[in-house]
Amino acid sequence: MSWFGKNFIKPTLTILRTELSFALVNRKPVVPGHILVCPLRPVKRFKDLMPEEISDLFNTVQKVSNVVEKHFNGTSLTISMQDGLEAGQTVPHVHVHVLPRRAGDFEKNDTVYEVLQNHDKEDMAASEKWRSEEEMEAEANELRKYFQIEPFCR
Amino acid sequence: MSWFGKNFIKPTLTILRTELSFALVNRKPVVPGHILVCPLRPVKRFKDLMPEEISDLFNTVQKVSNVVEKHFNGTSLTISMQDGLEAGQTVPHVHVHVLPRRAGDFEKNDTVYEVLQNHDKEDMAASEKWRSEEEMEAEANELRKYFQIEPFCR
């Protein structure tokens, strides 16, 4: 079972699960392919992670990054962690945002961060803007295939 | 010897060096305590890193984060990687930005990202705005002490 803060994350919304980490699709992606990667242990701050958890978490971030950059035709990635309330964290469970990027995806390149920063707050406040579970599951199914078909990605 | 892209980084500007990574002070910090953490091997993209390099890099990020959050009286951290040109990367050497954050450090919380995104470009263009080497060395000396005094941080 995977928990993201107090939310139980269904396996159908999880695209990869490792010994110590998991990756889930986003109910309100900032760009197509916006994935969250979390430690399985629901600690709040990055400083709470053990060395093995950090290694597993960011090796998982790399695997997920490679897949979403490819699948969503990205040429770059924004990889970001809002670690603590004053950095914009709202869900008290360490999570790394992975966003495939490409030229012109935002009018101003840095807008991605502004949108990302507001992401959690809006996400909490406006559940009517969330994607349907069916849409999220369909995306997760597509992305999960990369890890099943290509064992080297595991 | 540590290289950041094509720039040789003097040991006096390095606050921590591990088997595979190093951390350096910033010539134009976005906030006080803005540190860059890099793999020693000068690869351009996150996907170019080997698992051991990822583990070392982000365990180093955690150690540096703990120190700068404490030293600069932060309560949170922004930890971010601009991985590729379209994500705002200008120096073709993987680097993780570590920024201690606190309430009210930016008028709008998300402004930190806008400033961060422009950071590299301005940094390249406007060397007259850089801090003096003496100022940077003094900061590096202060921060290096945490790692020398507290062996558990290494």
Side-chain angles (χ1 to χ4, degrees):
Chain A
M1 297 212 301
S2 305
W3 293 88
F4 180 44
K6 291 179 179 173
N7 306 303
F8 170 66
I9 305 299
K10 294 183 181 179
T12 51
L13 301 180
T14 303
I15 65 168
L16 179 62
R17 189 184 157 112
T18 65
E19 190 185 349
L20 298 172
S21 310
F22 72 106
L24 68 149
V25 296
N26 209 312
R27 52 192 179 187
K28 192 158 173 290
V30 164
V31 293
H34 178 184
I35 300 292
L36 302 179
V37 187
C38 318
L40 286 168
R41 193 164 64 96
V43 295
K44 182 177 179 187
R45 296 290 312 274
F46 184 48
K47 64 184 168 193
D48 301 325
L49 293 178
M50 304 293 291
E52 297 74 15
E53 292 176 309
I54 293 175
S55 300
D56 191 285
L57 181 67
F58 282 95
N59 275 285
T60 304
V61 167
Q62 191 198 46
K63 293 181 180 88
V64 167
S65 297
N66 293 349
V67 161
V68 295
E69 183 172 339
K70 181 178 175 184
H71 187 79
F72 292 93
N73 301 311
T75 50
S76 296
L77 292 155
T78 294
I79 296 171
S80 190
M81 184 161 43
Q82 302 179 164
D83 184 42
L85 189 65
E86 290 73 23
Q89 184 185 25
T90 52
V91 179
H93 182 152
V94 171
H95 54 288
V96 181
H97 294 272
V98 176
L99 295 91
R101 301 291 308 275
R102 47 186 167 178
D105 56 0
F106 287 91
E107 191 176 351
K108 277 167 62 189
N109 194 30
D110 52 21
T111 307
V112 62
Y113 288 115
E114 190 172 339
V115 177
L116 186 60
Q117 191 87 0
N118 291 323
H119 170 263
D120 283 359
K121 294 171 210 161
E122 292 177 5
D123 209 31
M124 301 292 278
S127 59
E128 73 276 11
K129 291 183 182 172
W130 294 351
R131 295 194 291 173
S132 71
E133 190 161 314
E134 290 71 23
E135 186 182 350
M136 291 165 70
E137 284 185 353
E139 181 179 284
N141 283 339
E142 283 303 305
L143 295 175
R144 206 179 300 114
K145 285 177 189 168
Y146 286 91
F147 301 108
Q148 290 166 344
I149 292 168
E150 301 175 84
F152 64 82
C153 279
R154 279 195 174 267
Chain B
M1 296 212 302
S2 306
W3 293 87
F4 180 43
K6 292 179 180 173
N7 306 304
F8 171 67
I9 305 298
K10 294 183 183 179
T12 51
L13 301 180
T14 302
I15 65 168
L16 178 61
R17 189 184 158 111
T18 66
E19 191 185 349
L20 298 171
S21 311
F22 71 105
L24 67 149
V25 295
N26 209 311
R27 51 194 181 186
K28 192 160 172 288
V30 163
V31 291
H34 177 184
I35 299 292
L36 302 178
V37 187
C38 317
L40 284 169
R41 193 165 64 96
V43 296
K44 182 177 179 186
R45 296 289 313 273
F46 184 47
K47 63 184 168 194
D48 301 325
L49 293 179
M50 303 294 291
E52 297 74 16
E53 292 175 309
I54 294 175
S55 300
D56 191 285
L57 181 66
F58 281 95
N59 273 286
T60 304
V61 167
Q62 190 199 47
K63 293 182 181 88
V64 167
S65 297
N66 293 348
V67 160
V68 294
E69 183 173 339
K70 180 179 174 184
H71 188 79
F72 292 94
N73 301 311
T75 50
S76 295
L77 293 155
T78 295
I79 296 171
S80 191
M81 183 161 42
Q82 300 178 166
D83 184 43
L85 190 64
E86 290 73 25
Q89 184 185 26
T90 52
V91 179
H93 183 152
V94 171
H95 55 287
V96 182
H97 293 271
V98 175
L99 295 90
R101 301 289 309 274
R102 48 185 167 178
D105 55 1
F106 286 92
E107 192 177 349
K108 279 167 62 189
N109 194 29
D110 52 20
T111 307
V112 65
Y113 287 117
E114 190 171 339
V115 176
L116 186 60
Q117 192 86 357
N118 291 324
H119 170 262
D120 283 359
K121 293 172 212 161
E122 293 177 3
D123 209 31
M124 302 291 278
S127 60
E128 74 275 9
K129 291 182 182 173
W130 294 351
R131 295 195 291 173
S132 71
E133 190 163 314
E134 290 71 24
E135 188 183 348
M136 291 165 70
E137 284 185 354
E139 183 179 283
N141 282 338
E142 282 304 305
L143 295 175
R144 205 180 299 114
K145 285 177 189 168
Y146 286 90
F147 302 107
Q148 291 169 341
I149 292 168
E150 302 176 81
F152 65 84
C153 280
R154 276 197 176 265

